[in-house]
Each structure stands twice: as structure tokens, then as C-alpha cells.
Amino acid sequence: MKNEKSRPVQPSLPGLQMEEEIEGVVERIVFTNEATPFTVFSFKPLRKNSRITAVANVEAPLVGQQLRLRGHWTTHKRFGQQFQVTGLCIEAPSSAEGIERFLASGVVDGIGPALAKRIVQKFGKKTLTVIEQTPHRLGEVAGIGKKTIEKITASYAAQSELRDIMLWLETHRISGTYAARIFKKYGSFSIDTLENRPYQLASEVDGIGFVIADSIAMSLGIAADDRSRIAAGIDFALQKIAQQGHCCIPEAALEKQASDLLKVEQASVRKVLQDLLQDKQLAVEYVGSETLIYPPYLYRAEIKAARKLLYLQKYADPIAMEADPTTLVARWEQIAGIRLADKQKEALEDVLQYGVFVLTGGPGTGKTTVVRGMIDLLHLQGLTVLLGAPTGRAAKRLAEATGQKAVTVHRMLEAQGAGGSGAPTFGKNEDEQLEADVIILDEVSMMDISLMQHFLAAVPDGAHVIFVGDVDQLPSVGPGTVLRDILRSGVIPSVCLTDIFRQRGESSIVMNAHAINAGRLPVCSPQGDFQFWEIDDEEAVAAQIVELCTKVLPQQGFSPLTDIQVLAPMHRLACGTDNLNKVLQAALNPKSPQRPELTNAAQTFRLGDKVIQTKNNYTKQVFNGDIGFVMAIEPGRMTVHFSDELEVDYENGEFGELALAYALTVHKSQGSEYPVVILPLVRSHTIMMQRNLLYTAVTRAKREVILLGSKAALNTAVGNNRTSKRYTLLAERLYYGFER
């Protein structure tokens, strides 16, 4: 299997493996894993008819790319002989066959397989020289016009720059597979950024965290205790803190985290931290004896949100009413033919009197009825009302429940993409505010402090705001606990609905949700709408989930794609979303010649797959949590249908924004409802077993809940009410105000 292009690059010493270099072409990606970069691919060495299996701890290369691999031979117990890659470099292909495969792979925009064949038939081994030096000659090939030539030339030039970046990284002993991400961000300034501002990569390039940026910096000779390195480490520690849901962190905890990360003395971190505070590059608050450090953007968001809430509460325009609130609510009861509970009446009366109001309650407590009543009453007073929610699915639910138009907060604010700092920009803001008398937001527990601040900035000064949500659900993915903090402050009027209005015997889902929330085990019935299947083996749980989705539930009339949603507490292991998505895809949308597919570094997408958007894309107007279906696949291109109003095209390099959605994390399910929810509760997920997670999962179901796993895991989830504390001062800012 070794060929004439293979050559030792280090002596073969006793007990050591001999390293070799092999040039060839990537033929097929066998397996990839994005979570921990790992790729297995079929590789054809140059001038050989044989194929080898290459294994590399890198992101997947492109099919058709010519590479020079460095590594050694190993023997796998199951898969046999493999070439373990320790380094790779992209090479310009030299043979006509290699050039055609390279061009046909989609790596050069404007060239597909058919056109690649015609170009190489015309120019042979000189093809790349023609593209690089005399691109106008491409016009000699049938079907290539001026615009196509320009597209090809620009794309090939980018490839050349990409090779330069890869070579620079390899020279500095950094995996060249990061080159594409770096080039996408910095373009022609990539190498300048690498050489002069390496720590920028940690915050500005997806997938390149502090560790990689630090490796680059160290390769350039930056000392371990260099001020720029310590400052970057502090910034990275604060990023991690925000990802954990905190808005701020005690000074001592920040110093320790940064010190552990950087492996430098805590005193060195303290000195740089004090300099950053003195230069106002970080924000600080003193609460009693505790010093809390903020990233500036979160400090501003918290301050601005608190100020605006207090302003709206005090200065919202009074609602001109023909009668007192009690009378108006009584009239609405008569018109609607509804008899309200006392708390529901109180909520409707308060809405007419306060600038900011909060309505909370669990499932079945009549929140929807109250919201419909609010809208009717406000319309009767001649007021314009806007409805919104954090996600598309939550907005759709709100619209269906009220019969009124509802939009996502991002669309309400006219999200326009990321600004120079990487933060989102909005068409609606403090300078160009929303046009409405009253704005109602549902599922507010999902909103983090940054989005809340942007929303409040766009609220007209005299408008009224109504927040609706369930404070017992999981907190927002982003930093802060906005809804909980508003309620905790005690200064914003609120009503919590507690009475359950569903008919007895109608649904045990609601009753069990409240039982779980109170720390009691749910009552399960083998044939009822709330089931628990005791299965201790985790592989067996995964297999049973597939059986439920493919046979059992479809026989009951449920669609596997639109009615059934598998939720899981974690990504990893047999019952995590990663594996469940693979096995459910194989069962529900198997590989077939009739189903074209695309493979990226993390997964394979097929025509018809159910997918989820995993990050906000303001340009495409699709946002984290949006669910869609793959409706078209072409080489290097995929189209996803999200709704009748939204179809989105994805190109090479953008597929990482999507993930399979046959199984979702509980966090990703917030704001949604499904006819059937299936949730594995297994021992290996114990670290995530919390009451609010189980409660959130159960409350997503409308008709049926199926829990599978061990009784011990169920007991743990119900009994564990110790939610992680988040550092935030929004409640305190609201309570103490700003009159000082």
C-alpha cells in the first residue's frame, strides 16, 4: 500500500513508528465528528490504483482535494490497516484526473462536474495554470461566459490564499483545517491577523477558542505571562461565564478561572484585571463585600433594561377608559360567555392600569384565556396591540391561541445582521421605535438580558408592555434570568395563576406537570396519555425510541415527522441527541439513490430530513431553534423549507448552522408544543436530571408523554430542585432604582 510518493521523514528507531508522507486525492468521507474533530476518509495515492483509509483528528477535507498527508501506519482490530494522519497540507493537483476531481468537488464556485470535465478536456494538465494566469481562455470552453469566468477566477484566487493560510498554520504546528474559517472571517488580512493579533481569533472565529488562539500566539513567541495573553484569558473566562448563563462573576472566582486556564500565578491575573478595570475595559459592581465583574456589553444591557422597565412603569400613557377596570372586565365576561377566576379577573384589571405587567402560570391555569381577554379589552379601548415571542414556534402557538398575528422578537425588531462587534443590529431601536400602544410578549422565560434590552429600547416611551411566561421552566440559554429577576424584584405588578381549569380526566399531562413541579412523582398509566416504560439498558432505550417513532405511534395515527418529538437532556451517549438523530434518520429517512445527500464535518443531511437552525442568521432571517425540512439538495447547496413564507438556501461552509432535529435537547424545545413527546431518562444523564428540565419537557406535550429509562433517573429528576445560581443584578437594580 505504500507507494513511490511515500517517504520517511524521520528515522525508524526501535520502539518508534516510522512517519511517512503520501500525496493523493480524497475520494470519500467515511465518518466525521465535529464535536471533537475526527475524520475517516478514503484516500487514493497518486499513480496507484489502490485506496487507503486515512484517520485524522481534523475537520473533514473536501472530496476531490489533493493532499499531502504526514503520518504512520496502524492496524485497527475491526477495520484493519489505516494511515494515522499527524499533519496534512493541500496541494494543487497535477494530473488531469486529479484536476478534474478537484474542480468537480465544488471547491471552486461556478464549476460543477460536467463543466469540470469540459474544461479539463480542453486544457488538460495546464488547466490550473490557465485559470491562474490566463483566465480569459476559459471562454474557449462551451457554456462559459464572462460572469462565470469572473466567478471562477475569484473563487480560485481565494483557494490560493486558503492554501497560503494553511501552510502558515502548518508551519506553526497548528492544524491547517482551521484555514477556511479564518479566511472566511478575515479574507486577505488573514495572515496579518494571525501574526499580529492572534487572540482576536478566539472571539471572532467560530470553532477557534482561546486554546487554539493561544497555541498560535505561543508559536509566535508570546510569553506565558505576557499582558496581552492574560487579558485575552480574562476575556475568554468571561465569555465562558456568559455561556453558563451569568451576567457577572465575583472577582476572586474570575481570577481563579483565568489563572487555571492560563497556568499563571493568580497575582499576575489580578494585576492585569485591575489594569482592565482602571481602563474601563471591564465593568464592576460592588454588592456588600463582594466585587462583581461584568463584560461591558452585559453591564450595559442590564442597566438599560432596568432603567427602561422602571421608566415604562412610571410614565406609560394612561389608558382612557369609559368605565372602571372591574366593570370593563365584567362586561367582557358577558360578551365572551366566560366566567373568570379571581386571579384571572385581577390580571385583566391590572393590565388596564399599569405600564408594565407580568402574567405567569403553569399549564392549564388559563393564561391563554387571560391573554385573549387582554387583547379584546385593549382593542375595545381603541389601542393597537403587537404580539411576539422569542422563537418562531412560540410565535405560531401564540397566533393560533389568540387568533391574532404574532411574530418573533427578532422579526418584530427587524434584525439586520451582525455589526462590527459581532453583536446583532436591529432596524427597530431607541431611534426608530415600534409603533404600538401595547406589546405582549409570550414565553419570556426564554429571553436573555441582551435580547430583552434590545426589545425594551424599541418600545415607545408611552407604551404598555405585558410579559407572559412560566417561571418554573428552564431559564434562557443566554445570560440572565430576566423573567425570574423581574418577579424577584417585587416592583413590577404581576399575577401568578395557580388554579388548574382542565376537566378532570381530560388529560393527566397537566396534572403530572404540576405534580413534578411540586416535587411529586407523576402518575403513569401503561395505556394512558402519560406513560413510563422502565428499561435499564440505554441501548435498549434508544432501540425502543426508534420502535415508537417508526411503528407504535404511527399505528395510532401520529406522524413521525410532524407529531412526534424526541427530547433528550444531553447531546452525548446512546440516549443523547447526537446518537438518537443518527438512528432515527436511518430508520425514518434511510440512505437511498432517490435521496441525494450532503455530508459536512458533523453529519449527513438527506432530502426530506427534519433539521433545526442552531444559530441566528440575520442575513437569511432564520434564527436559532427554527425547525424545517430539507426540500432540495444539489452539489454544494441545500434548500430548507421552514414555513410557507420562508425557504432558505445554504451553501458550502454554511451547513454547520443546521443540525438534525429528529431528536432535540429539552432546551431547544422551549416555546414549542408537540402532540407527542418522548423523553429518555437514563442513569448516564444524571448530571442533567433536574426538576425544571423534566417539567419543561413534559409541558411541551399536548396529547401524550412517554418517558423511558430507569426509575432511579426519574426519581432523581423529580427530587432535584437545585438549579444552578446565575449571577445577575437585574432584580436589585429594579428594587433600588436609579434615584441616587
Side-chain angles (χ1 to χ4, degrees):
M1 295 179 73
K2 302 168 179 66
N3 60 71
E4 63 265 31
K5 289 292 282 186
S6 302
R7 59 185 186 275
V9 295
Q10 70 178 37
S12 179
L13 300 175
L16 295 180
Q17 295 160 311
M18 186 188 328
E19 280 212 335
E20 303 177 6
E21 285 191 359
I22 304 175
E23 267 189 76
V25 177
V26 179
E27 291 222 317
R28 182 171 64 90
I29 305 299
V30 178
F31 175 79
T32 62
N33 184 349
E34 194 173 62
T36 53
F38 177 78
T39 303
V40 181
F41 56 95
S42 177
F43 191 72
K44 183 181 182 297
L46 295 183
R47 292 181 290 278
K48 288 286 184 178
N49 292 322
S50 60
R51 303 313 189 258
I52 69 172
T53 300
V55 180
N57 294 316
V58 297
E59 295 179 8
L62 295 171
V63 173
Q65 276 188 330
Q66 186 166 319
L67 306 177
R68 185 173 73 253
L69 305 181
R70 183 175 68 254
H72 55 263
W73 294 97
T74 62
T75 301
H76 192 280
K77 289 182 180 178
R78 180 179 174 187
F79 301 112
Q81 194 173 33
Q82 299 176 333
F83 190 74
Q84 181 65 55
V85 178
T86 58
L88 62 80
C89 185
I90 295 175
E91 298 282 305
S94 54
S95 68
E97 178 193 5
I99 292 170
E100 184 180 333
R101 290 183 67 89
F102 170 72
L103 295 177
S105 70
V107 71
V108 178
D109 291 343
I111 302 180
L115 186 55
K117 190 174 191 68
R118 295 205 303 275
I119 293 173
V120 175
Q121 281 177 344
K122 176 68 178 176
F123 301 112
K125 293 182 180 181
K126 297 180 180 178
T127 297
L128 299 184
T129 304
V130 169
I131 294 174
E132 193 170 344
Q133 298 179 10
T134 55
H136 65 275
R137 291 195 60 198
L138 291 171
E140 299 171 20
V141 179
I144 298 184
K146 185 176 178 181
K147 288 186 177 179
T148 303
I149 292 174
E150 290 174 354
K151 192 175 185 180
I152 292 170
T153 304
S155 181
Y156 187 77
Q159 285 294 317
S160 298
E161 290 192 79
L162 195 60
R163 285 197 297 274
D164 291 342
I165 299 167
M166 181 171 280
L167 182 61
W168 190 97
L169 290 169
E170 292 284 350
T171 303
H172 291 80
R173 297 189 169 278
I174 308 295
S175 172
T177 56
Y178 295 106
R181 298 181 185 185
I182 295 169
F183 181 73
K184 184 177 180 181
K185 176 67 180 178
Y186 303 111
S188 299
F189 297 96
S190 296
I191 291 180
D192 178 68
T193 304
L194 285 164
E195 290 180 342
N196 298 303
R197 298 173 300 281
Y199 288 110
Q200 278 186 215
L201 277 68
S203 57
E204 296 181 352
V205 180
D206 286 344
I208 298 184
F210 176 81
V211 174
I212 300 298
D214 195 41
S215 298
I216 295 169
M218 300 296 271
S219 75
L220 295 169
I222 293 176
D225 60 352
D226 186 273
R227 187 187 183 281
S228 67
R229 180 174 184 263
I230 293 175
I234 292 170
D235 181 67
F236 180 66
L238 284 171
Q239 289 178 41
K240 299 295 285 185
I241 287 160
Q243 290 169 7
Q244 294 162 5
H246 303 289
C247 292
C248 54
I249 189 75
E251 182 180 34
L254 176 59
E255 288 177 2
K256 185 176 187 311
Q257 288 193 30
S259 174
D260 292 345
L261 170 73
L262 298 164
K263 295 185 171 47
V264 299
E265 294 293 328
Q266 204 162 317
S268 301
V269 174
R270 187 176 301 119
K271 184 178 184 307
V272 175
L273 179 58
Q274 294 306 313
D275 290 344
L276 293 172
L277 291 171
Q278 190 171 349
D279 295 341
K280 296 188 172 18
Q281 294 183 45
L282 299 176
V284 62
E285 282 284 6
Y286 302 98
V287 181
S289 61
E290 202 161 48
T291 302
L292 297 170
I293 310 297
Y294 280 81
Y297 78 99
L298 290 177
Y299 180 79
R300 289 192 297 270
E302 208 173 78
I303 291 276
K304 288 181 177 181
R307 286 186 183 275
K308 188 61 176 282
L309 284 168
L310 293 173
Y311 181 90
L312 291 171
Q313 183 195 34
K314 191 172 182 179
Y315 296 109
D317 295 336
I319 296 175
M321 294 177 284
E322 56 179 313
D324 64 89
T326 303
T327 302
L328 291 173
V329 172
R331 283 183 193 170
W332 181 81
E333 282 186 284
Q334 283 187 320
I335 295 169
I338 294 173
R339 185 174 180 180
L340 298 171
D342 289 345
K343 281 289 185 181
Q344 291 178 307
K345 291 179 184 178
E346 181 186 344
L348 288 177
E349 291 171 10
D350 285 355
V351 156
L352 297 170
Q353 300 177 76
Y354 297 112
V356 184
F357 177 75
V358 181
L359 175 69
T360 67
T365 57
K367 287 200 304 293
T368 300
T369 300
V370 174
V371 172
R372 284 200 296 259
M374 289 175 177
I375 296 168
D376 288 348
L377 281 171
L378 293 165
H379 281 162
L380 288 169
Q381 310 314 308
L383 302 175
T384 58
V385 183
L386 282 182
L387 302 182
T391 68
R393 289 167 292 160
K396 184 179 179 182
R397 281 180 56 211
L398 181 61
E400 290 170 348
T402 61
Q404 305 289 318
K405 181 182 178 183
V407 298
T408 65
V409 176
H410 283 95
R411 291 192 173 90
M412 181 186 289
L413 300 180
E414 298 177 6
Q416 295 179 341
S421 65
T425 59
F426 298 94
K428 296 297 182 181
N429 49 47
E430 56 193 4
D431 298 320
E432 186 67 34
Q433 294 182 315
L434 297 163
E435 295 180 5
D437 299 311
V438 184
I439 304 171
I440 301 176
L441 292 189
D442 196 11
E443 298 286 357
V444 177
S445 63
M446 298 177 65
M447 290 185 67
D448 63 33
I449 190 64
S450 294
L451 184 57
M452 178 58 74
Q453 182 265 311
H454 284 296
F455 164 73
L456 289 169
V459 175
D461 288 348
H464 294 240
V465 175
I466 302 165
F467 295 130
V468 183
D470 185 349
V471 75
D472 293 317
Q473 290 192 33
L474 290 168
S476 59
V477 175
T481 52
V482 175
L483 181 61
R484 185 176 296 277
D485 286 348
I486 291 173
L487 293 170
R488 187 165 63 88
S489 74
V491 302
I492 302 295
S494 66
V495 168
C496 179
L497 303 178
T498 54
D499 295 335
I500 302 172
F501 294 98
R502 303 240 176 141
Q503 297 279 332
R504 186 172 182 178
E506 180 185 343
S507 171
S508 60
I509 297 173
V510 172
M511 303 305 295
N512 278 328
H514 286 275
I516 290 166
N517 203 29
R520 302 190 304 272
L521 286 171
V523 178
C524 305
S525 170
Q527 304 301 321
D529 61 4
F530 201 106
Q531 303 174 26
F532 177 70
W533 297 35
E534 188 173 3
I535 307 171
D536 282 330
D537 181 76
E538 296 185 18
E539 296 284 351
V541 170
Q544 186 60 62
I545 289 173
V546 173
E547 182 80 4
L548 284 166
C549 292
T550 57
K551 294 180 182 178
V552 178
L553 291 168
Q555 288 172 0
Q556 299 174 18
F558 294 111
S559 165
L561 295 182
T562 58
D563 294 338
I564 304 167
Q565 185 59 62
V566 178
L567 304 179
M570 296 177 66
H571 289 284
R572 298 186 178 183
L573 305 173
C575 290
T577 57
D578 293 347
N579 182 60
L580 289 174
N581 270 315
K582 287 178 183 176
V583 296
L584 287 167
Q585 182 193 44
L588 296 170
N589 195 29
K591 189 178 182 68
S592 163
Q594 287 73 47
R595 294 190 185 98
E597 60 183 46
L598 284 170
T599 299
N600 73 345
Q603 58 208 319
T604 296
F605 297 103
R606 293 193 189 111
L607 185 67
D609 272 337
K610 183 180 180 181
V611 295
I612 183 171
Q613 179 77 13
T614 60
K615 62 189 293 187
N616 293 331
N617 188 317
Y618 301 97
T619 304
K620 297 181 186 294
Q621 287 293 289
V622 60
F623 303 104
N624 190 357
D626 287 351
I627 297 284
F629 293 88
V630 179
M631 62 173 299
I633 288 181
E634 303 169 8
R637 183 184 179 93
M638 180 162 59
T639 302
V640 178
H641 177 87
F642 287 100
S643 68
D644 292 339
E645 298 80 33
L646 185 63
E647 286 183 1
V648 179
D649 291 330
Y650 295 83
E651 308 283 346
N652 274 332
E654 297 175 329
F655 302 143
E657 295 184 12
L658 295 168
L660 295 174
Y662 299 100
L664 300 174
T665 63
V666 179
H667 280 88
K668 288 290 189 187
S669 74
Q670 286 181 268
S672 300
E673 279 189 342
Y674 316 95
V676 182
V677 164
I678 299 172
L679 179 72
L681 294 171
V682 296
R683 297 175 188 273
S684 61
H685 290 175
T686 299
I687 191 171
M688 294 294 294
M689 289 291 106
Q690 293 178 345
R691 188 183 301 171
N692 61 349
L693 182 140
L694 179 58
Y695 172 78
T696 301
V698 166
T699 55
R700 301 307 91 206
K702 292 189 289 186
R703 294 176 57 186
E704 194 166 329
V705 171
I706 301 176
L707 309 178
L708 305 93
S710 72
K711 282 186 177 178
L714 176 60
N715 287 333
T716 298
V718 173
N720 182 10
N721 199 31
R722 297 186 300 276
T723 56
S724 302
K725 178 187 176 182
R726 292 190 172 189
Y727 284 100
T728 162
L729 292 179
L730 179 62
E732 287 75 12
R733 297 188 196 282
L734 290 169
Y735 181 80
Y736 291 105
F738 297 89
E739 305 290 332
R740 51 181 181 174

